Structures are given as structure tokens and as C-alpha cells.
């Protein structure tokens, strides 16, 4: 089985762990890396092009001249792999390798072991057996976002936003066929697209969430407080675009109020009205 990994990159020249990528590709002949330069303003593209010269068949670089956000960068990578390679699975990882290769290959192995699955994805739920590191701010934001997303998806998913997902080729073609509504919440849209294609009961059978053994936040994240505070409105846009029933809007509204109250209690915002 051949596996393609998409790595979206925006201004990552100073924090790309190229030695780790090189070590992985040299020791795993069934994998291909596809770096997508998302209109970076630094020298990310030059770094990636120089890096790919070492192994051009298994290290590909796709350049997006203008920044489109992570959603479009990953989508561009998916279409590149579908059109130019014969990989059996297509997935994506964050450029900083906050999810490491050991966990990613475990996701691929889970997908290959169970022919009934079309999507396997990681979960950053912390427990006594794993190493999941987040700062206090991200813990609060993740908690609030999780409430809002579960209100929309209504699927037994603990962590929809983990940046490590692996699709069977046919599922990737369907899920990434059209552009996304949002730049950062496309993971939510992926699950909604699967529900619309297969129905809720069948989707639950087709997906599998696997706890990560390690996940570490790396400084330099492209999503800040300002982005987090507009998430409720972005989720509403998703609900409207995908024609979700009115019950979703009511649930989302209640969840949004609860989430904002949590932010207020945490001292991140002083008054709900300021948003």
C-alpha cells in the first residue's frame, strides 16, 4: 500500500523540521510527502524546493502563489496526489509535526487493517498513557470549540480538529471535491460531507478515532485569539451552507452562549457583548 502525506506550509521556513521529514522518507519506502506552499511570504518555497532535490520522486512540492488558508492548501495537495500519483491513502500532517510520524503511521495501519473504514483520524484527548501538551489558553479554547462542533456534527467524535487524518483514496476524492466554506474549520465540513454522502449511521461505521500517544503544541501557531472568537459565526456559516436543519441552529446558539460564558469566566473576554 502506498501512502501520501500532505504537509500544508505557510511561512514555515524557520520551524520546518526537515531532518525529521528526511529521516522518515528514507526509512519508509511506502510513503510520499507532498508539501504545499500556501503563498508564504518568507523563503518557505525555496527551502522546500531545495529539500525535494534530494528525492524528487517521493518528496513533491506544490506551490500556491496566493495564500488560501489551510483548507485550500490541503485540498490542493489532495488533488495533486489524486492526479499525479497512485497512492492508496491520502492524509495530512501539520508542518511542525506536533503529531509525530509514529502516531501517523499508526493511523495508516489502522486504516489498512480494517477494510470497512474510509477515514481514520487522531484524537488529542489526554490520559495517563499519552503525552499531550497544551498551554492553558489552548485548553480553554479547545474545550469551547469542542462544544460548538459537537453541537453541529452530532457524531461520537472527541477531537474533530486534530491535524492528523488519513483517508482511503475514494473518500478523499469525494470529501475534497469542492472548496470549503472556512479556512480553518474544514475538518468539520469533511465530517458533514461524509454524513451527507453515507448517512449518520453508516458514517459512524466508516470512521475511526484513534488516541494519539504524543502531541505537543509548537509556538508559532497561525490561529490566535481573534480567530477563535469568530468560530461561532463560522460554524453558523457552515450550518447554513450545508442546509442543516433548524434544530442545529438552536443547539449551536445554546452551545455558543455556553462557550462564551466559559471564555468570560476564564478572563479571556470581559463581556460577551464585546464580541
Amino acid at each position: 500500500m502506498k501512502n501520501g502525506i500532505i504537509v500544508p506550509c505557510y511561512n514555515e521556513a524557520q520551524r520546518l523540521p526537515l531532518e525529521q521529514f528526511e529521516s522518515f522518507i528514507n526509512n519508509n519506502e511506502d510513503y510520499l510527502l507532498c508539501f504545499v506552499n500556501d503563498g508564504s511570504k518568507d523563503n518557505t518555497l525555496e527551502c522546500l524546493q531545495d529539500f525535494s532535490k534530494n528525492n524528487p520522486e517521493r518528496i513533491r512540492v506544490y506551490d500556491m502563489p496566493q495564500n488560501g488558508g489551510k483548507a485550500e492548501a490541503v485540498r490542493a495537495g489532495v488533488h495533486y496526489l489524486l492526479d499525479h500519483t497512485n497512492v492508496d491513502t491520502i492524509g495530512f500532517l501539520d508542518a511542525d509535526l506536533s503529531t509525530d510520524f509514529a502516531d501517523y503511521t499508526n493511523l495508516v495501519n489502522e486504516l489498512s487493517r480494517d477494510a470497512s473504514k474510509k477515514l481514520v483520524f487522531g484524537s488529542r484527548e489526554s490520559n495517563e498513557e499519552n503525552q499531550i501538551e497544551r498551554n492553558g489558553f489552548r485548553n480553554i479554547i479547545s474545550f469551547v470549540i469542542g462544544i460548538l462542533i459537537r453541537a453541529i456534527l452530532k457524531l461520537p467524535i472527541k477531537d474533530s480538529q486534530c491535524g492528523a487524518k488519513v483517508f482511503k483514496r475514494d473518500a478523499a476524492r469525494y470529501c475534497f471535491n469542492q472548496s470549503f466554506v472556512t479556512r480553518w474549520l474544514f475538518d468539520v465540513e469533511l465530517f458533514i460531507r461524509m454524513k451527507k454522502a453515507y448517512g449518520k449511521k453508516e458514517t459512524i461505521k466508516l470512521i475511526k478515532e484513534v488516541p494519539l500517544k504524543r502531541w505537543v503544541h509548537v509556538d508559532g501557531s497561525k490561529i490566535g485569539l481573534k480567530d477563535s472568537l469568530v468560530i461561532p459565526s463560522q460554524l453558523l456559516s457552515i450550518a447554513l451552507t450545508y442546509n442543516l436543519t433548524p434544530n442545529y441552529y438552536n443547539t449551536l446558539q445554546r452551545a455558543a452562549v455556553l462557550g462564551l460564558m466559559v471564555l468570560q469566566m476564564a478572563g479571556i473576554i470581559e463581556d460577551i457583548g464585546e464580541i
Side-chain angles (χ1 to χ4, degrees):
M1 177 178 285
K2 295 183 179 180
N3 310 283
I5 304 176
I6 298 160
V7 185
C9 301
Y10 177 66
N11 294 344
E12 300 284 359
Q14 300 303 315
R15 67 173 198 162
L16 269 171
L18 293 179
E19 291 184 358
Q20 294 182 50
F21 283 110
E22 184 173 24
S23 175
F24 175 77
I25 207 68
N26 287 338
N27 291 287
N28 294 272
E29 60 183 15
D30 293 333
Y31 284 82
L32 180 154
L33 297 175
C34 177
F35 293 92
V36 179
N37 177 54
D38 185 19
S40 297
K41 297 178 181 179
D42 62 2
N43 63 329
T44 294
L45 179 59
E46 292 77 7
C47 290
L48 293 175
Q49 290 174 333
D50 288 342
F51 180 58
S52 68
K53 293 177 182 177
N54 297 327
N55 197 338
E57 288 301 312
R58 295 177 55 218
I59 302 175
R60 311 289 182 91
V61 178
Y62 182 86
D63 181 36
M64 294 173 59
Q66 293 185 336
N67 176 252
K70 183 178 179 180
E72 283 307 304
V74 173
R75 197 172 82 90
V78 169
H79 282 270
Y80 177 86
L81 291 179
L82 289 173
D83 294 340
H84 298 283
T85 73
N86 62 346
V87 294
D88 301 295
T89 72
I90 296 177
F92 52 92
L93 275 176
D94 291 330
D96 57 21
L97 292 181
S98 49
T99 300
D100 63 21
F101 284 117
D103 271 316
Y104 186 87
T105 55
N106 184 49
L107 299 181
V108 173
N109 292 337
E110 288 286 347
L111 190 60
S112 64
R113 277 195 289 266
D114 191 342
S116 68
K117 303 302 180 188
K118 291 186 178 292
L119 165 60
V120 174
F121 55 101
S123 172
R124 297 164 295 180
E125 289 288 310
S126 61
N127 56 53
E128 296 179 355
E129 299 179 357
N130 63 17
Q131 180 187 353
I132 306 296
E133 297 181 11
R134 283 175 170 163
N135 59 34
F137 166 77
R138 282 188 165 264
N139 272 330
I140 295 171
I141 292 298
S142 297
F143 174 75
V144 173
I145 292 174
I147 293 173
L148 302 179
I149 290 175
R150 282 189 288 273
I152 276 198
L153 290 181
K154 296 192 180 298
L155 289 171
I157 295 173
K158 296 179 180 179
D159 185 6
S160 66
Q161 300 308 108
C162 179
K165 293 180 173 64
V166 187
F167 294 79
K168 290 282 180 63
R169 186 183 180 97
D170 60 333
R173 184 182 298 279
Y174 173 78
C175 288
F176 290 90
N177 182 44
Q178 297 180 339
S179 297
F180 295 99
V181 176
T182 62
R183 291 164 63 94
W184 298 102
L185 294 176
F186 71 101
D187 303 80
V188 177
E189 298 182 59
L190 292 172
F191 289 112
I192 291 175
R193 291 178 182 186
M194 290 199 69
K195 279 182 66 176
K196 284 189 168 292
Y198 303 106
K200 179 178 178 179
K201 290 183 179 180
E202 189 63 20
T203 295
I204 292 174
K205 298 177 182 178
L206 295 174
I207 65 176
K208 183 173 184 178
E209 186 170 18
V210 179
L212 300 179
K213 295 180 180 178
R214 176 186 177 277
W215 187 89
V216 179
H217 167 65
V218 180
D219 290 337
S221 172
K222 305 302 185 298
I223 301 180
L225 175 60
K226 181 179 178 181
D227 301 295
S228 301
L229 293 179
V230 300
I231 283 176
S233 64
Q234 292 179 347
L235 288 174
L236 181 59
S237 295
I238 290 174
L240 292 170
T241 300
Y242 289 93
N243 297 316
L244 301 183
T245 64
N247 287 335
Y248 281 89
Y249 308 144
N250 296 332
T251 305
L252 179 59
Q253 184 180 40
R254 291 194 297 270
V257 171
L258 175 59
L260 293 173
M261 288 174 62
V262 172
L263 290 175
Q264 185 178 16
M265 288 187 293
I268 294 176
I269 58 175
E270 294 182 0
D271 194 309
I272 293 176
E274 71 184 75
I275 304 175

